[in-house]
Amino acid sequence: MLTGSTSEISTFKGEQRALRADRIGAPALLLSVLAATAPLMVVAGVIPSTFGAMGIVGVPLLFVIVGVVLALFSFGYAEMSRHVHNAGALYAYISRGLGSTMGAGASYVALFAYSIMQIGTYGIFGFEISGQIFQHWHHNVAWWIPALCGVVLTAVFGAMKIDLNARTLGLLLLIETVLTVVFDISFLSDPGPQGVSMHAFSPGALSGAGLGTALCFVIAGFVGFEQAPVYAEETSDPQRVVSKVMFLAIGFATVFFAFSSWAITVATGPSHVVGQSRQQSANLIFALNEGRLGSTFTDVLNVFFITGIFASMLSFHNVVARYAFAMGRDGLLPSAVGRTAKGSGAPAVGSFLQSVISLVVVVAFAVTDHGSFSAMGPDPTAPVLRLFTWAGNVGALGVVLLMCTAAIAVITFFVKRGAAGVQGWRLVTSGLAAIGLAVIFVYSVKDFAVLLGADPGHGLRWILPGIIALAAVIGLVYGLVLRSTKPEVYARIGQGNEAFQLEKAATAGEAGGGRSA
């Protein structure tokens, strides 16, 4: 329990409730943000799944379309990042633009969406390591054993300084990017039976039963760029660094994923890419590489596929920890969550909380996956098809909803400040982005049954997206409760460290006035 004078408590709040500044520069922030997109994991795991499960040949064109929508979103989002520096990023912006109640609702959606996406990656991480052990050493190791090791390793890194994390993530990102470019070039230099075809970029290639869910898959590939403002408090120059990093991340992801997915259609042939993706699934890239670049390159690729997954896990873990920290600081979670470690300056309690939740979910999934509590029975691909794919797409739905709401919040924020004229063109791009993101969200929910491989009336096709709605309702209700019972806490939602600095200054002023008297 804390004891001491009011000024001592206020000083504690000022020190423990602010993330350390000057921890991360533009290059390190860019690498951290891009690591969340996990380029190799998207190319080797998400893209083949999109081709196969959704039956859409035009995945490269989808990356271009979504990239344009997100670029439109980022003009206003980046401008707002110059005015609001808060580790709660999306929910803080929504709070500033649409009010504290909406901000509270958005905070719980953000915490759940990023948390479930991060936890889902443990499924593919454990599955891939288990598969590699069997392939090379012929030992059967249950997927959940390496998954739990991943939870522990991520927890260790998550408690360290963010600059150390950034260097680790950056190195892994650079290696997997180079490897991906190498096999992209090999695909184009040794094309499939239809030669170097541009068919995947034609509008007709977008036909398919699961277009809406394919958009959700593609959005999931981009998720990470919007995390740059989460680190605003830890950068040396948030006014310039954050916006620059966001646009670089969107540009990189759009070009990289569109190019890589197109190269896959060239390697297989546009007419065969769906069939081969359904047959090979996440092994498609490695099978295509085996005949072109040999087994040694493929083995190296497998190793960095796994390290790329780890980089994504760690990047999302850091973001979840910072959202939890921001919510604890704003009174939306217990105050202990909104404190940093004295040594590293990291949001240690938020990091620990995410590690515990991850541990519980992985253990629970492993137990139910054995068939004793699951109607679906044991399934060796369940860690990928259910834990990774389902969790990833539910989380992506939440992020799409948040970005759509944030785009509207940007417009209201600048209108309220009387800056609509100065920011006019950014408000237009934010409006267009809000429309585009709303369309993506509606179609993703509509086609969610395709992802599950279930009938349109299947309960899960509504239950899984409904979890996002439940998180929003919980947050909205709690916001209304705070407005009635703790108006001072309610007023602080989305204000972040600014509220505590003002409180500290006011307390110091009162103490100074008392001494003068």
Side-chain angles (χ1 to χ4, degrees), residues 453-476:
D455 295 330
H458 196 284
L460 278 177
R461 61 96 63 246
W462 294 113
I463 291 173
L464 290 176
I467 297 174
I468 297 296
L470 178 61
V473 169
I474 291 172
L476 290 170

Side-chain angles (χ1 to χ4, degrees), residues 254-317:
T254 302
V255 173
F256 189 83
F257 294 141
F259 181 80
S260 295
S261 54
W262 170 62
I264 293 171
T265 69
V266 171
T268 60
S271 300
H272 306 288
V273 67
V274 171
Q276 289 196 31
S277 295
R278 287 173 176 168
Q279 181 182 0
Q280 298 280 355
S281 187
N283 192 52
L284 177 65
I285 297 299
F286 305 101
L288 292 173
N289 272 291
E290 188 79 30
R292 288 175 171 82
L293 297 172
S295 58
T296 301
F297 180 86
T298 304
D299 288 341
V300 171
L301 194 63
N302 270 299
V303 171
F304 284 100
F305 179 45
I306 292 170
T307 60
I309 297 170
F310 171 73
S312 179
M313 287 190 321
L314 178 57
S315 184
F316 274 105
H317 177 93

Side-chain angles (χ1 to χ4, degrees), residues 126 185 267 417:
I185 294 173
R417 292 168 67 97

Side-chain angles (χ1 to χ4, degrees), residues 66-93:
V66 171
V68 170
V69 172
L70 296 181
L72 290 173
F73 165 77
S74 293
F75 286 117
Y77 188 60
E79 182 62 23
M80 196 157 180
S81 73
R82 300 175 187 272
H83 300 267
V84 180
H85 308 149
N86 193 314
L90 282 166
Y91 95 75
Y93 294 2

Side-chain angles (χ1 to χ4, degrees), residues 136-153:
H136 294 286
W137 294 285
H138 307 292
H139 290 298
N140 283 309
V141 176
W143 69 272
W144 54 266
I145 295 176
L148 290 178
C149 292
V151 172
V152 173
L153 189 60

Side-chain angles (χ1 to χ4, degrees), residues 107-175:
S107 71
Y108 277 84
V109 172
L111 186 66
F112 172 78
Y114 286 117
S115 179
I116 195 171
M117 289 187 80
Q118 196 267 342
I119 293 170
T121 57
Y122 289 116
I124 193 170
F125 182 75
F127 178 82
E128 288 297 327
I129 292 181
S130 177
Q132 288 299 303
I133 291 173
F134 180 78
Q135 180 180 336
H136 294 286
W137 294 285
H138 307 292
H139 290 298
N140 283 309
V141 176
W143 69 272
W144 54 266
I145 295 176
L148 290 178
C149 292
V151 172
V152 173
L153 189 60
T154 302
V156 171
F157 273 86
M160 296 179 179
K161 298 177 181 178
I162 187 60
D163 45 346
L164 175 61
N165 274 240
R167 286 194 292 270
T168 303
L169 294 172
L171 177 62
L172 296 176
L173 172 72
L174 291 173
I175 294 173

